[in-house]
Amino acid sequence: LSCSSPSQGFNPYDAAWQKSRDFPSDKEKEWEGKPLSRDFWWMWRNSLRSGLKDMQAAIRAVSGRFELEQWQADVIKGAWARHKELISSSLRNQSDVVMPFLAE
C-alpha cells in the first residue's frame, strides 16, 4: 500500500485503493472544468467554518458576564440551532451522497 509509513503520506492514486479497474480511486476527472471555489462541497465546508467563527465571536462577546440578558441568550440559542442544522445536513449529505459516490 502507498501509506506504509506516516512520512510517506497517503497516495489516493494508488491502485490499492480502487474498488476495481472499472472504478478507479482517482475521481478528479469528475470535477473537470469546475474551479474549486465554485464547488458545492467546498462552499459548504466554508459555510460551516464561517458559522463556527461567528458562534465563537458571539460567545466571546458575552463571556465573563455574570448574567446574560434574555435577548442575548435567545440570539445565541437561535444561532446555534441554525448552525446545528447546517452541521446535521452536512453529515447526512456526506453519508447519503459523497460516500456512495466515492465507493464507486
Side-chain angles (χ1 to χ4, degrees), residues 9 26 29-30 36 73-74 84 87-88 96 102:
D26 177 15
K29 67 179 187 236
E30 302 292 334
L36 189 58
D74 291 343
K84 183 180 172 186
I87 292 170
S88 297
D96 297 346
L102 293 177

Side-chain angles (χ1 to χ4, degrees), residues 53-74:
K53 286 180 183 178
D54 290 347
M55 288 296 300
Q56 289 171 338
I59 291 169
R60 269 192 227 105
V62 297
S63 67
R65 295 183 186 181
F66 182 70
E67 196 171 303
L68 296 180
E69 293 184 32
Q70 187 60 48
W71 71 268
Q72 293 169 319
D74 291 343

Side-chain angles (χ1 to χ4, degrees), residues 12-46:
Y13 304 107
D14 191 322
W17 300 108
Q18 69 186 42
K19 185 174 181 178
S20 71
R21 286 185 179 181
D22 296 329
F23 298 101
S25 57
D26 177 15
K27 304 290 187 191
E28 188 174 0
K29 67 179 187 236
E30 302 292 334
W31 285 279
E32 218 165 49
K34 187 175 188 179
L36 189 58
S37 63
R38 303 274 302 152
D39 180 71
F40 172 78
W41 301 106
W42 182 262
M43 290 187 288
W44 195 280
R45 293 288 184 215
N46 284 341

